[in-house]
């Protein structure tokens, strides 16, 4: 097989798997911090139990996510050495800050949070979980700063065939970063919120610890609705930025071969034929693409044929059209999943507001259980659209994917590492699912038992009688 294709499959597989854990960690820890804040503010034990219960799922997810991230990084050195050599000087600073500052902050304060219950003061303990949350968000910022450079390279000069950073401020003020970062982080908050609503809905159907899961559902569905809606708004801004900086990706996402005309319609469905470079059947909504691109109901959008000619003049001969079907459909899957999240969030918030969560809503609760998958579908399809739509570039305008792989690695070696990574990820996924199910089945009751055990002083009077 083609080593470039194998290396791309491996990168996609490892990154998609790793990206299941990262947004969930960012989202869960925010919700836990909010629950513990309510415990400190209101003094009600139920919020403490909520924070502890959801905290167990966060810790499992965080641990597995760290392992998948380490495995993912191996492949940069193995399969993408030419790419690493080209961007190493630029990527070094943000990735170093991420590791030394953000990840260090997360790890340190996670330890304080785990072992600090009833040892630290309430406020200091609360501060620790907020610092963990801040660390996860900061970690996302620095990773996305590196990714944004691939989408829109800034703040560097080419020296001896390598990109060397000469303006750190340009890297962190990159316009791509400031539309990509809020869109991604808000989507992560929604991911954590929908996990909590789905599990809470399951427990409410089973009528287990109704009060705790009703409060969990209420907090999470409000956060889920707000962040899903805000994610869509920032996605709109990102699309407009795309029209300016990566118009070919936008044209592929619309399967727009020729000029759109003015006003431009948005294509809901297209039967795409990449060989002939045309769509044999289309369903369109008038004016909508102009609005998505310029926030007004007029304006033309360039098609792939016109952009191909422009790119050939700028970058030389070559095929600059990305895989159109994948870019087109991944964009629509992301939008469909995000829209469903908003609709479900609105109805759930209505039920919570009207205090109807106690009443039989089994059909809605069943949907919310399955809706746990929606943010993961949206995150994954959005990432696929972002990365596939940039092809044939790894660093837009400067380095092609085919020039990025390690020249000394054979197809057989990549295939072996791909099988090995997939096997390891399958084991990690099985372990995580097992641990999640175990914690969810036990519920928050185990926390009470542990609390009782911890509160008994073995040297005190009660402890003496307990031992006797």
């Amino acid at each position: 097989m083609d080593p470039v294709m194998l290396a791309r499959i491996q990168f996609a597989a490892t990154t998609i798997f790793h990206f299941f854990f990262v947004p969930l960690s960012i989202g869960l820890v925010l919700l836990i911090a909010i629950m513990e804040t309510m415990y400190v503010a209101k003094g009600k034990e139920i919020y403490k139990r909520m924070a502890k219960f959801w905290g167990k799922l966060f810790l499992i997810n965080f641990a597995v996510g760290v392992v998948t991230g380490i495995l993912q990084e191996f492949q940069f050195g193995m399969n993408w050495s030419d790419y690493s050599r080209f961007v190493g000087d630029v990527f070094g600073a943000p990735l170093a800050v991420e590791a030394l500052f953000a990840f260090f902050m997360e790890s340190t304060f996670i330890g304080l949070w785990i072992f600090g219950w009833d040892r630290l003061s309430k406020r200091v303990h609360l501060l620790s979980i907020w610092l963990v949350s801040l660390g996860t968000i900061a970690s996302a910022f620095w990773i996305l700063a590196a990714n944004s450079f691939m989408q829109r390279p800034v703040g560097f000069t080419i020296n001896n065939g390598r990109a060397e950073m000469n303006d750190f401020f340009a890297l962190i003020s990159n316009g791509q970063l400031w539309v990509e970062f809020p869109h991604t982080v808000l989507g992560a908050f929604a991911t954590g919120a929908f996990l909590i609503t789905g599990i809470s809905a399951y427990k409410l159907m089973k009528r287990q610890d109704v009060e705790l899961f009703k409060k969990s559902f209420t907090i999470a569905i409000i956060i889920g609705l707000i962040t899903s809606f805000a994610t869509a708004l920032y996605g709109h801004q990102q699309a407009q930025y795309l029209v300016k900086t990566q118009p070919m990706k936008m044209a592929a996402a619309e399967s727009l071969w020729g000029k759109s005309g003015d006003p431009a319609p948005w294509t809901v469905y297209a039967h795409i034929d990449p060989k002939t470079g045309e769509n044999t059947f289309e369903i369109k909504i008038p004016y909508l693409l102009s609005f998505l691109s310029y926030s007004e109901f007029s304006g033309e959008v360039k098609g792939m044929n016109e952009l191909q000619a422009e790119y050939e003049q700028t970058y030389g001969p070559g095929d600059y059209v990305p895989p159109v079907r994948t870019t087109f459909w991944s964009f629509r899957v992301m939008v469909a999943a995000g829209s469903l999240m908003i609709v479900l969030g609105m109805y759930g918030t209505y039920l919570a507001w009207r205090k109807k969560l106690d009443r039989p809503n089994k059909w809605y609760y069943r949907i919310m259980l399955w809706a746990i998958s929606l943010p993961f579908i949206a995150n994954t399809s959005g990432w696929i659209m972002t990365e596939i739509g940039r092809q044939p570039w790894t660093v837009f305008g400067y380095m092609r994917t085919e020039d990025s792989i390690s020249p000394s690695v054979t197809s057989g070696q990549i295939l072996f590492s791909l099988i090995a990574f997939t096997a390891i990820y399958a084991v990690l996924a099985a372990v995580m699912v097992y641990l999640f199910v175990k914690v969810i089945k036990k519920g928050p009751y185990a926390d009470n038992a542990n609390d009782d055990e911890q509160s008994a002083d073995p040297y005190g009077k009660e402890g003496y009688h307990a031992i006797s």
Side-chain angles (χ1 to χ4, degrees):
M1 287 185 71
D2 179 14
V4 178
M5 183 54 68
L6 277 174
R8 289 178 65 187
I9 291 171
Q10 185 178 108
F11 184 82
T14 54
T15 307
I16 285 172
F17 191 75
H18 179 58
F19 201 50
F20 287 157
F21 301 95
V22 175
L24 186 55
S25 286
I26 296 171
L28 272 179
V29 72
L30 175 78
L31 269 292
I32 293 163
I34 290 172
M35 290 169 185
E36 191 170 343
T37 301
M38 295 181 79
Y39 163 62
V40 173
K42 296 187 176 185
K44 294 184 178 178
E45 285 293 313
I46 192 168
Y47 292 109
K48 180 181 178 180
R49 291 175 62 204
M50 287 162 61
K52 280 191 166 186
F53 174 71
W54 298 113
K56 286 183 179 179
L57 299 185
F58 163 69
L59 293 173
I60 295 167
N61 185 76
F62 182 81
V64 178
V66 170
V67 177
T68 61
I70 293 169
L71 286 175
Q72 188 202 14
E73 288 181 5
F74 280 142
Q75 67 175 321
F76 284 109
M78 289 191 304
N79 298 342
W80 303 95
S81 62
D82 279 359
Y83 162 78
S84 301
R85 195 171 296 112
F86 181 74
V87 300
D89 188 73
V90 177
F91 275 29
L95 295 186
V97 175
E98 191 273 332
L100 295 174
F101 169 68
F103 185 69
F104 183 76
M105 179 190 285
E106 289 174 58
S107 307
T108 302
F109 288 101
I110 278 177
L112 284 177
W113 188 75
I114 294 170
F115 299 108
W117 286 107
D118 303 323
R119 292 180 176 85
L120 299 173
S121 72
K122 287 182 181 178
R123 292 181 185 277
V124 172
H125 194 266
L126 175 63
L127 178 64
S128 66
I129 194 66
W130 276 110
L131 288 174
V132 174
S133 179
L134 183 64
T136 61
I137 295 168
S139 184
F141 177 84
W142 292 110
I143 295 293
L144 290 172
N147 182 267
S148 295
F149 176 82
M150 296 164 67
Q151 312 289 339
R152 184 171 179 267
V154 292
F156 73 104
T157 56
I158 299 291
N159 193 11
N160 295 323
R162 297 173 63 245
E164 295 184 355
M165 185 170 61
N166 61 6
D167 189 348
F168 182 73
F169 181 75
L171 194 69
I172 60 173
S173 62
N174 189 344
Q176 172 67 27
L177 173 62
W178 289 103
V179 292
E180 191 173 330
F181 171 66
H183 183 62
T184 307
V185 169
L186 287 164
F189 293 159
T191 304
F194 269 76
L195 181 87
I196 290 178
T197 54
I199 295 171
S200 298
Y202 173 78
K203 289 291 188 179
L204 288 172
M205 274 194 294
K206 298 287 183 183
R207 309 300 297 167
Q208 294 174 352
D209 212 334
V210 171
E211 197 58 30
L212 184 145
F213 286 108
K214 195 169 69 175
K215 287 185 182 298
S216 295
F217 187 96
T218 301
I219 295 170
I221 200 68
I222 293 170
I223 298 294
L225 173 61
I226 293 170
T227 54
S228 298
F229 189 69
T231 304
L233 290 179
Y234 274 100
H236 176 58
Q237 286 195 358
Q238 195 168 355
Q240 294 188 334
Y241 193 78
L242 208 61
V243 174
K244 299 174 188 171
T245 56
Q246 294 185 68
M248 182 66 88
K249 185 190 291 185
M250 187 66 178
E254 296 305 316
S255 187
L256 184 63
W257 298 95
K259 290 183 178 178
S260 66
D262 188 3
W266 187 70
T267 306
V268 180
Y269 174 85
H271 189 73
I272 303 164
D273 187 350
K275 290 182 180 176
T276 59
E278 61 180 16
N279 303 330
T280 54
F281 178 74
E282 294 174 329
I283 299 174
K284 295 187 174 187
I285 300 175
Y287 299 96
L288 191 53
L289 181 56
S290 290
F291 181 77
L292 291 174
S293 303
Y294 309 111
S295 292
E296 53 188 44
F297 293 103
S298 64
E300 190 175 68
V301 178
K302 289 182 178 179
M304 287 178 278
N305 295 334
E306 184 182 1
L307 290 165
Q308 169 68 23
E310 289 182 10
Y311 281 25
E312 282 184 352
Q313 284 189 341
T314 306
Y315 305 114
D319 183 4
Y320 298 97
V321 177
V324 180
R325 284 178 181 147
T326 308
T327 311
F328 179 87
W329 286 113
S330 58
F331 179 55
R332 273 141 193 82
V333 169
M334 177 188 69
V335 171
S339 302
L340 272 174
M341 288 163 62
I342 292 172
V343 172
L344 291 171
M346 288 172 68
Y347 186 68
T349 303
Y350 166 76
L351 290 178
W353 175 53
R354 297 300 300 267
K355 301 188 185 305
K356 292 184 175 181
L357 291 175
D358 282 337
R359 300 180 188 179
N361 290 295
K362 285 192 175 180
W363 65 270
Y364 175 69
Y365 287 153
R366 286 194 186 101
I367 292 173
M368 289 308 295
L369 182 57
W370 287 104
I372 291 173
S373 63
L374 287 176
F376 294 99
I377 293 170
N379 294 338
T380 303
S381 54
W383 180 82
I384 289 173
M385 182 253 179
T386 300
E387 301 303 309
I388 292 287
R390 193 182 61 240
Q391 296 302 313
W393 305 104
T394 42
V395 181
F396 186 80
Y398 288 91
M399 189 175 210
R400 296 171 193 254
T401 305
E402 63 193 26
D403 300 323
S404 304
I405 67 166
S406 303
S408 59
V409 179
T410 65
S411 298
Q413 290 170 327
I414 300 174
L415 185 61
F416 175 80
S417 60
L418 173 60
I419 293 170
F421 279 5
T422 305
I424 293 169
Y425 281 169
V427 171
L428 286 173
V431 169
M432 180 175 163
V433 169
Y434 170 77
L435 292 174
F436 258 50
V437 171
K438 190 176 177 183
V439 170
I440 292 166
K441 277 187 175 178
K442 277 188 176 178
Y445 314 107
D447 292 331
N448 290 341
N450 291 338
D451 285 348
D452 293 342
E453 287 171 11
Q454 287 177 10
S455 62
D457 182 354
Y459 300 101
K461 188 177 179 182
E462 296 84 358
Y464 173 77
H465 287 299
I467 295 168
S468 313

